[in-house]
Amino acid sequence: MASFAQILKVTAIDSHSYRVNFTDEWCIGSVPNGGVVTSVLQSVAREHFLTTLKSQNQPDCISLHADFVQRTSAGPAVVQVEDLKLGRQTSTVRLTLVQEGRKEVLVVLTHANIALESGLSLPTAWRLDPPPPPADLVKMAAHGTDGTWTEWKSPRPDFRKASLNANMYTVRQSGRVDRGVVEQWIKLKSGENFTNTSLGFLSDMFPLMVESYSEDEDAMASASVSQRQLYRHWYPTLALNLDVKKLLPEGGAKWMFVRVQSKMIANGRKDLEVIIMDQENEIVALSHHVAMILDASRNIAKRGESGSSESNSSKL
């Protein structure tokens, strides 16, 4: 099994293009997990700023917007980089991920040097509401539970292979806190630590929002859907935004807390607001997604089988 560090490996082709590779064990069905793709593109941008743009001294992604315009697949890909704006405090680049001639993911990233940031800082009244129950991370790692938080098991591990690379702990098996709210503590099974380049992955790896309704009989009845039908969906990301608030410690962090909220799930589309926090209860990053809710068969269908006759078929 490829480690997370191996998945993030970037090989330069020239000053503005890089080679990456996605493996099957980091896929959902036949499609690389969107968070994995995002982290790989973060890794490309970081490599670009450490080499081609080294003189900028801006190694850290502070904001990112990704559009997933076509379905990616396991295997090699080339990432093309365009320098959009090089500035004293921040610089912005655009990345295009290409597989077999298809432009599949478009990402705009802004980089800075977070350690050198200074300026006005003010407190806010924001807090997690409701607050999560206390967690004994040592007990959870040793025994799979601390009596409150218990390791979450995917109902479709054969399909959601990427989730098998992480240990996720929830208070309820569904991960649910309330309607449209799930939360978890998460660590990598490999023992690797999370770094800021892992934030894309963290923003898209959690107990699934739709499937958290598997214990909500009233909601399932109103949607005329069974528990079994809930589990037979795929949730391709259309757009993902990432707002990075702080640097993780040098060497990374073993545990992270993630809360996810959907404000509206309707007509086969959902939003996700993702809050990523460290063990010190500080926000590390915020993320927002727009995603579709599709039958899982769409994930594994050959390109064009879903009704499009164009060779340059969309991801959906």
Side-chain angles (χ1 to χ4, degrees):
M1 178 177 290
S3 69
F4 197 60
Q6 289 173 312
I7 287 295
L8 297 182
K9 184 179 179 181
V10 174
T11 302
I13 299 171
D14 55 42
S15 65
H16 284 75
S17 57
Y18 301 85
R19 185 173 289 109
V20 299
N21 188 65
F22 301 108
T23 61
D24 183 67
E25 62 263 35
W26 291 91
C27 287
I28 305 298
S30 65
V31 180
N33 167 258
V36 170
V37 174
T38 302
S39 277
V40 168
L41 292 169
Q42 284 184 267
S43 185
V44 170
R46 181 172 175 82
E47 180 68 15
H48 188 64
F49 274 92
L50 290 175
T51 54
T52 300
L53 300 182
K54 183 177 181 179
S55 62
Q56 294 298 117
N57 190 27
Q58 296 164 340
D60 309 314
C61 172
I62 60 170
S63 71
L64 172 158
H65 173 81
D67 287 307
F68 294 80
V69 295
Q70 295 201 60
R71 188 174 68 186
T72 55
S73 56
V78 171
V79 181
Q80 301 164 343
V81 182
E82 179 184 358
D83 303 332
L84 296 180
K85 176 253 184 182
L86 303 181
R88 183 171 58 86
Q89 286 189 299
T90 66
S91 295
T92 302
V93 297
R94 177 165 54 212
L95 275 57
T96 304
L97 186 145
V98 181
Q99 284 187 306
E100 298 180 354
R102 298 181 302 270
K103 294 181 179 180
E104 295 176 336
V105 186
L106 309 175
V107 184
V108 175
L109 304 96
T110 296
H111 268 233
N113 192 318
I114 295 177
L116 299 181
E117 286 183 327
S118 62
L120 179 66
S121 298
L122 295 170
T124 74
W126 180 87
R127 64 186 183 278
L128 281 176
D129 186 21
D136 187 326
L137 302 180
V138 174
K139 282 187 178 180
M140 287 155 59
H143 306 294
T145 183
D146 67 351
T148 301
W149 297 84
T150 300
E151 186 169 0
W152 177 79
K153 302 296 184 184
S154 171
R156 290 285 309 278
D158 57 326
F159 183 69
R160 309 194 194 285
K161 293 165 286 188
S163 67
L164 301 179
N165 293 284
N167 301 111
M168 293 173 270
Y169 298 81
T170 60
V171 174
R172 299 164 68 178
Q173 168 56 25
S174 66
R176 181 172 175 166
V177 177
D178 199 348
R179 277 187 173 174
V181 183
V182 299
E183 66 183 12
Q184 67 175 1
W185 281 97
I186 181 172
K187 67 181 183 70
L188 289 167
K189 280 187 179 177
S190 64
E192 297 168 277
N193 286 349
F194 294 115
T195 66
N196 276 58
T197 310
S198 312
L199 291 174
F201 174 70
L202 284 165
S203 76
D204 196 32
M205 182 52 60
F206 38 78
L208 296 162
M209 183 62 69
V210 169
E211 294 171 12
S212 75
Y213 281 78
S214 62
E215 300 172 354
D216 191 332
E217 294 183 1
D218 290 342
M220 287 192 293
S222 69
S224 300
V225 65
S226 68
Q227 185 182 80
R228 182 179 179 183
Q229 288 171 318
L230 277 183
Y231 292 154
R232 298 186 63 82
H233 287 105
W234 171 45
Y235 313 100
T237 303
L238 298 180
L240 183 155
N241 291 290
L242 188 65
D243 172 9
V244 181
K245 300 297 189 183
K246 65 175 287 188
L247 285 175
L248 289 171
E250 187 174 352
K254 185 169 293 294
W255 290 91
M256 299 295 288
F257 175 83
V258 180
R259 177 173 286 181
V260 187
Q261 181 169 10
S262 288
K263 296 179 175 63
M264 187 171 181
I265 304 171
N267 301 318
R269 185 159 52 90
K270 62 187 173 79
D271 60 88
L272 295 171
E273 177 189 53
V274 185
I275 303 169
I276 303 170
M277 304 180 74
D278 58 19
Q279 287 181 245
E280 286 68 48
N281 297 318
E282 293 186 354
I283 297 173
V284 177
L286 304 174
S287 182
H288 292 83
H289 302 214
V290 178
M292 301 292 287
I293 305 171
L294 301 177
D295 189 277
S297 63
R298 298 282 292 275
N299 174 289
I300 58 177
K302 293 181 180 179
R303 293 181 186 272
E305 279 190 357
S306 59
S308 171
S309 60
E310 299 178 18
S311 60
N312 194 31
S313 60
S314 75
K315 69 179 288 183
L316 305 181

